[in-house]
Amino acid sequence: MELTFRIYRYDPERDSEAYYRTYRVEAEPGERILDCLNRIKWEQDGSLSFRMSCGHGVCGSDAMRLNGRCALACQKLVQDYQGEPEILVEPLPSFRVLKDLVVDLEPFFEKVNWVRPYLLAGDSDPQKERLQDPAERKKLDQVIRCILCACCMGACPVVGENEHFLGPAPLVWAFRYIFDSRDQEKEDRLRKVDSEDGAWGCRNHFECTRVCPKEIPVTKSINFIKREIEKVFGS
Amino acid sequence: MGVPFNRNPDGTIAQRAFGGHTRNFGEAPVKRACYAADRTGRVILDTLYGQSVQKGIRVYPELSVMDLVVRDGAVHGVVAYEWATGELHLFHAKAVLVATGGFGKVFKTTSNCFANTGDGAHMVLRHGFPLQDMEFIQFHPTGIHGLGVLISEAARGEGGLLRNRDGERFMERYAPTIKDLAARDVVSRAIMSEIRDGRGIDGRDFVHLDLTHLGKERLEERLSDISSFVRIYLGIDPAAQPIPVHPTCHYMMGGIPTDVDGRVLDAAGYAVPGLYAAGECACVSVHGANRLGCNSLLDLVVFGRRTGRRLLADVAQLPLHEAGGEALDACRERIQRLRERRSGERAAGIRQRMQQEMMERCGVYRTAKGLEEGLDTIRGLQETCRTQLVLDYRGDRYNTDLMEALELESLLGLAEVMLLAAQKRTESRGAHYREDFPERDDANWLCHSLVYRDGAQLRYATKPVSITRFQPKPRVY
Ligand SMILES: Cc1cc2nc3c(=O)[nH]c(=O)nc-3n(C[C@H](O)[C@H](O)[C@H](O)COP(=O)(O)OP(=O)(O)OC[C@H]3O[C@@H](n4cnc5c(N)ncnc54)[C@H](O)[C@@H]3O)c2cc1C
Ligand code: SF4
Ligand code: SF4
Ligand code: FES
């Protein structure tokens, strides 16, 4: 079937403002939107820039906005857009555009790094594995699916209004270590996100949960953190 | 470090069955693979990322290394291209560790990333250092039909079964003891044989991976990523319907030869000063002619660590050279030449022809004639590349058109090495299967292959295998 793509284009060094260009692509219903973008780049317009690598939702590099919704281009299929007159392709909102669909992810990774995304278990070099009860490990099952794609950041209205808000994915990473029974810094971690720009900034819009390509219950996880803060420090 | 491995009831790290993991040399399957659901590799990567944040390791996420700075047979640094600006950077270094991964993108159907183009291995080759055992290319039996996206062996580890058009569990015929959990090369060949004999599903070019008997709960708990891939890409529920699969190029056993401490070896077997390699791009040769599932991550962790330690010890003695201007100029010229060409053929078309050709000539089954024809085609494409390759975009910012053109040169260079090594080895061993020489031939071929560049020519040599505790013997399942 033939599809029409309307793609956001912007090179801040050359263009005074962003514009949209339209491309037409022949594609099979089972093909990925990423395949279509590649075909556009390979066959029609080599100047189109976007990030991608794994092609199946593991590396997290091809997050963008497709018909208004943040998603991975490699996880959306042509048939998902059947009947739509065109597919509007835009960069993730709330991020600075570097070129076309490529955005500046530095501030995002700074926030992720700020929550200390690593185990702080006190003992530095144990000879054997640290034991963990399967039930404790199970608490992490969903959050360890996060691939740091930033779809949730683009979708969150609070991130859009307040650039200081930590945002959904960094809170997912905070959860990942707050609820890891092997970690020794739980209180400190909770204190770090106990603020208006931290866990309390979230206003339960559920947009993050709706768009997460790894189906992580993001909002629920943030609420767990809030509840844990109240439990540990009193409300 | 905090990798979220699955756990046993007593709190220790859980283990599961995987293809070819057996006790007493093939007697029966055993549970030996540590795992974190079906995303072990990704969570190890996340954990290492966290460690690098904690230790404040500087990372340049969007720089591509274009070349090594080599002088008098020693490595003095690298030249890298910055995607955001199009600038070239020269890094002086006492030591360089190449860890650029595999190069499955040589093939049309592959589980690998678009980034797996083998730049590192090709750089080493360009400088006259050898690549080892390049004919040993692993085809994983279960790629999603059409896409190549991997259905991890964990699926069969958890009890998944392969079935042909008659619903027959055909692996019982090919490997009576270990069946669906035979090593990958055996299963891939079995699938291709079924397809060739018309027993693919509806006579087509795929078979079924059946997980329906595992039940929704087990699929959700242990194979959740796989289940979601199948739902997203095929629109089917693996608890209710079987998955169409076809072998997909997955892993390179060969690569840059190193010793057990990651030091890169030249054609004469001497360590190259300042050059190290680890991971899939390296060939320390623990996987022989056929890697078993899970052993890549094991290789990375064990030899990555050893290599890091060796490098740390060596850095104290290695000199720092402020040279490399010529290497920088050479890279600049290479880009300039591409930019100046006004008409010709774009990278994508050439790459597609290469990938198709490699799939047909250098895949699961190989013959002298096919490999010869493959070499002709690939050399022809290299020539096209040299004289015709043209860019559509000449800008400096995130120029992926240029990146792909540069990567294509690596892919074609490595494709030629693979074909040559496969052509020379007139026997079948591990993942290398010659229809015209179906038997293993230890008398003549119990050896590594080396391919290196000598001027414009590729040279071929062999080197003895060092055998210690385990004598090689035929695999019978
Ligand atoms: C889908 C899939 C599933 C797998 N599952 C398993 C499993 O369950 N168990 C197992 O043991 N193995 C598995 N493997 C194999 C294993 O994941 C790989 O062999 C392993 O990740 C290789 O690691 P590496 O660090 O050597 O290279 P990679 O992880 O490939 O990393 C190479 C890095 O080098 C970068 N790079 C490349 N060229 C350049 C350049 N010119 N300049 C700068 N940087 C560059 C790349 O961007 C990349 O970041 C799987 C592989 C795939 C594809
Ligand atoms: S639930 Fe919270 S984090 Fe998620 S989109 Fe809404 S406000 Fe943002
Ligand atoms: S929580 Fe989901 S949407 Fe957000 S970064 Fe992680 S995987 Fe992406
Ligand atoms: S390309 Fe890796 S997540 Fe889409």
Side-chain angles (χ1 to χ4, degrees):
Chain A
M1 54 199 269
E2 198 191 62
L3 293 158
T4 304
F5 284 87
R6 208 151 71 88
I7 304 184
Y8 175 100
R9 303 298 310 269
Y10 182 47
D11 180 345
E13 296 214 330
R14 293 187 179 194
D15 307 324
S16 54
E17 60 184 43
Y19 60 97
Y20 289 82
R21 252 196 87 170
T22 302
Y23 304 88
R24 266 175 257 286
V25 182
E26 214 26 77
E28 299 292 325
E31 284 191 288
R32 298 164 282 206
I33 295 302
L34 180 64
D35 298 319
C36 301
L37 294 177
N38 272 330
R39 217 167 290 148
I40 291 171
K41 184 172 78 180
W42 294 339
E43 293 164 12
Q44 302 181 31
D45 186 350
S47 72
L48 176 64
S49 304
F50 50 92
R51 294 189 180 103
M52 53 114 193
S53 186
C54 70
H56 66 289
V58 177
C59 73
S61 62
D62 62 342
M64 52 188 75
R65 197 146 77 137
L66 299 170
N67 278 358
R69 197 183 159 109
C70 298
L72 300 174
C74 66
Q75 273 202 3
K76 292 287 169 196
L77 302 186
V78 166
Q79 66 204 24
D80 301 338
Y81 296 88
Q82 212 133 34
E84 314 238 352
E86 65 173 21
I87 304 173
L88 183 64
V89 184
E90 297 167 297
L92 279 185
S94 310
F95 288 90
R96 185 168 69 96
V97 175
L98 297 175
K99 182 169 183 294
D100 306 334
L101 307 172
V102 178
V103 298
D104 182 7
L105 290 170
E106 278 286 311
F108 169 60
F109 282 104
E110 267 163 33
K111 286 177 181 173
V112 172
N113 298 351
W114 185 81
V115 306
R116 299 187 295 178
Y118 39 85
L119 190 72
L120 294 166
D123 53 337
S124 59
D125 234 346
Q127 288 306 301
K128 277 190 156 170
E129 74 257 53
R130 299 184 183 88
L131 298 182
Q132 184 170 43
D133 189 79
E136 290 292 342
R137 164 62 182 73
K138 210 169 162 45
K139 292 182 185 164
L140 310 178
D141 252 359
Q142 292 171 310
V143 290
I144 60 168
R145 289 208 293 255
C146 177
I147 55 172
L148 292 168
C149 66
C151 280
C152 54
M153 300 293 279
C156 173
V158 182
V159 171
E161 292 161 15
N162 172 10
E163 59 170 326
H164 300 296
F165 174 45
L166 200 50
L171 285 165
V172 163
W173 281 84
F175 179 109
R176 154 81 184 81
Y177 286 97
I178 288 169
F179 291 97
D180 190 325
S181 58
R182 298 168 297 176
D183 196 87
Q184 301 295 314
E185 298 291 324
K186 179 169 174 177
E187 279 199 17
D188 213 54
R189 290 182 185 278
L190 283 172
R191 215 167 279 127
K192 234 175 139 112
V193 297
D194 180 13
S195 74
E196 277 309 310
D197 288 336
W200 302 104
C202 165
R203 295 199 303 263
N204 283 307
H205 287 291
F206 277 93
E207 287 303 324
C208 51
T209 308
R210 254 190 289 275
V211 299
C212 176
K214 304 311 279 186
E215 295 171 22
I216 299 169
V218 185
T219 314
K220 206 167 129 196
S221 306
I222 298 173
N223 287 331
F224 266 112
I225 298 179
K226 292 180 184 168
R227 221 171 305 151
E228 199 66 16
I229 292 174
E230 291 178 335
K231 211 168 90 192
V232 174
F233 304 127
S235 43
Chain B
M1 284 188 185
V3 176
F5 284 116
N6 282 44
R7 299 289 163 155
N8 292 316
D10 67 357
T12 52
I13 293 174
Q15 290 173 298
R16 66 156 58 122
F18 238 74
H21 293 203
T22 61
R23 66 177 147 81
N24 291 338
F25 306 100
E27 216 173 77
V30 288
K31 294 188 174 178
R32 190 179 286 148
C34 302
Y35 65 99
D38 49 356
R39 64 187 78 90
T40 317
R42 172 76 213 199
V43 297
I44 290 180
L45 185 72
D46 289 328
T47 307
L48 287 173
Y49 172 72
Q51 293 289 314
S52 74
V53 171
Q54 185 179 18
K55 297 194 162 55
I57 294 170
R58 181 104 181 249
V59 179
Y60 300 92
E62 290 186 329
L63 257 63
S64 270
V65 174
M66 270 187 74
D67 206 0
L68 301 168
V69 180
V70 181
R71 248 211 185 157
D72 306 326
V75 174
H76 293 169
V78 297
V79 180
Y81 175 87
E82 185 176 357
W83 301 12
T85 60
E87 273 174 58
L88 284 172
H89 300 271
L90 176 61
F91 289 81
H92 301 298
K94 292 180 174 182
V96 173
L97 197 169
V98 184
T100 51
F103 20 98
K105 278 290 158 189
V106 165
F107 291 87
K108 179 171 163 224
T109 306
T110 174
S111 64
N112 284 193
C113 289
F114 282 92
N116 282 146
T117 55
D119 298 342
H122 190 244
M123 265 170 238
V124 168
L125 179 77
R126 271 206 313 263
H127 284 284
F129 303 120
L131 296 178
Q132 179 172 306
D133 293 344
M134 292 288 282
E135 63 274 40
F136 298 117
I137 298 162
Q138 179 165 81
F139 284 80
H140 193 294
T142 57
I144 293 183
H145 177 246
L147 280 177
V149 168
L150 190 76
I151 301 297
S152 160
E153 207 163 75
R156 277 170 295 128
E158 293 293 338
L161 303 174
L162 290 163
R163 298 186 190 280
N164 61 19
R165 68 178 299 165
D166 308 319
E168 185 206 4
R169 187 181 172 192
F170 58 85
M171 282 312 299
E172 289 181 332
R173 263 188 285 124
Y174 295 89
T177 55
I178 161 167
K179 302 178 183 131
D180 300 83
L181 283 173
R184 290 176 180 173
D185 59 314
V186 177
V187 183
S188 285
R189 278 197 296 278
I191 294 176
M192 293 309 282
S193 296
E194 290 299 296
I195 292 172
R196 279 184 171 189
D197 296 345
R199 287 192 296 274
I201 306 302
D202 304 328
R204 293 177 57 199
D205 63 339
F206 59 88
V207 296
H208 273 153
L209 173 62
D210 185 0
L211 306 179
T212 53
H213 55 290
L214 298 182
K216 255 199 156 49
E217 208 170 295
R218 183 130 166 230
L219 285 175
E220 219 21 74
E221 188 189 323
R222 307 246 186 118
L223 302 170
S224 72
D225 269 4
I226 292 171
S227 305
S228 110
F229 293 152
V230 174
R231 270 196 303 270
I232 292 170
Y233 296 114
L234 298 166
I236 63 178
D237 173 5
Q241 275 174 284
I243 309 164
V245 292
H246 181 280
T248 184
C249 173
H250 186 55
Y251 182 85
M252 303 296 160
M253 270 71 75
I256 307 164
T258 68
D259 66 9
V260 292
D261 290 315
R263 285 182 289 205
V264 172
L265 304 175
D266 67 13
Y270 294 110
V272 179
L275 189 58
Y276 303 77
E280 190 171 333
C281 71
C283 179
V284 62
S285 191
V286 276
H287 309 302
N290 180 43
R291 172 178 75 92
L292 298 185
C294 296
N295 280 2
S296 173
L297 298 178
L298 191 61
D299 169 356
L300 307 182
V301 172
V302 172
F303 291 98
R305 186 171 193 234
R306 287 184 71 101
T307 307
R309 289 188 166 172
R310 179 77 249 171
L311 191 150
L312 195 64
D314 289 353
V315 158
Q317 283 104 50
L318 286 164
L320 184 68
H321 294 269
E322 301 273 311
E326 336 72 72
L328 189 66
D329 292 341
C331 288
R332 191 167 288 129
E333 268 165 44
R334 201 171 142 209
I335 293 175
Q336 202 49 36
R337 265 201 307 280
L338 274 172
R339 276 216 176 114
E340 278 165 7
R341 191 170 292 135
R342 288 290 137 178
S343 67
E345 196 174 342
R346 294 189 56 195
I350 304 176
R351 188 176 54 223
Q352 263 161 24
R353 277 184 280 154
M354 170 198 69
Q355 290 170 333
Q356 184 69 40
E357 186 72 9
M358 289 301 284
M359 211 64 204
E360 279 168 28
R361 313 289 185 203
C362 206
V364 173
Y365 288 113
R366 300 162 178 181
T367 63
K369 182 163 169 287
L371 292 165
E372 184 66 45
E373 287 171 6
L375 269 172
D376 282 347
T377 310
I378 296 301
R379 287 177 177 148
L381 291 175
Q382 287 175 341
E383 189 53 28
T384 310
C385 214
R386 258 191 298 278
T387 55
Q388 303 281 322
L389 183 61
V390 70
L391 301 178
D392 187 51
Y393 177 53
R394 296 179 176 77
D396 283 328
R397 298 169 57 75
Y398 287 94
N399 189 341
T400 48
D401 199 32
L402 172 65
M403 300 277 317
E404 290 184 24
L406 296 174
E407 288 169 351
L408 178 61
E409 292 181 31
S410 303
L411 290 170
L412 282 168
L414 296 175
E416 186 188 5
V417 174
M418 290 171 186
L419 287 161
L420 180 70
Q423 183 191 44
K424 294 283 184 188
R425 189 174 285 273
T426 48
E427 64 150 0
S428 292
R429 176 184 300 273
H432 170 70
Y433 192 86
R434 288 281 301 258
E435 288 185 273
D436 38 359
F437 299 93
E439 297 301 322
R440 200 172 92 188
D441 175 5
D442 279 353
N444 294 303
W445 286 107
L446 187 54
C447 59
H448 295 288
S449 68
L450 290 179
V451 176
Y452 57 96
R453 194 161 275 293
D454 181 7
Q457 289 270 305
L458 286 185
R459 297 231 179 272
Y460 179 86
T462 60
K463 104 178 181 193
V465 179
S466 67
I467 294 165
T468 52
R469 261 169 71 203
F470 301 104
Q471 286 301 317
K473 42 180 218 172
R475 244 179 330 171
V476 236
Y477 290 131

